[in-house]
Amino acid sequence: MYLQEFEKLAKFISNHYSLSLEKVDTSLKGWNWGKSEFEANSLNFKVDSNVAFEIPLCNVTNATPGKNEVTIEFHQNDDAAVSLMEVRFYIPPEPESERDPVA
């Protein structure tokens, strides 16, 4: 079932938008220890080299560094009953380094 739907969607996207649809392995682990990387216009949070989630940077209004964390705030959506307002990333200190990992 899944493969048939993927093929139909890939064909539609190819015919109408001249793009190819790619399969992407995502992380389904129960923890959030990973690495954040900026790729194109998005912030990708990866666990074991698989994308756990992606944040399009056009949705970010503010990013504020703290002592051991970075807070990312999003545009407010007045039309939605529930919307994500902020995400906080904990950044553990490096024991051997004098450099601030948040800065």
Side-chain angles (χ1 to χ4, degrees), residues 42-63:
S42 65
L43 171 64
N44 295 335
F45 189 77
K46 296 184 177 182
V47 177
D48 295 335
S49 299
N50 293 324
V51 176
F53 62 89
E54 176 181 310
I55 299 173
L57 295 179
C58 63
N59 295 335
V60 175
T61 59
N62 193 22

Side-chain angles (χ1 to χ4, degrees), residues 62-72 88-89 91 100-103:
N62 193 22
T64 308
K67 183 176 180 180
N68 287 348
E69 67 182 17
V70 174
T71 304
I72 297 177
R88 293 176 183 243
F89 291 98
I91 302 174
D100 183 8
V102 176

Side-chain angles (χ1 to χ4, degrees), residues 23-37:
K23 293 180 183 179
V24 177
D25 291 330
T26 57
S27 176
L28 303 174
K29 303 257 178 162
W31 62 83
N32 61 357
W33 297 103
K35 185 177 181 181
S36 57
E37 296 178 355

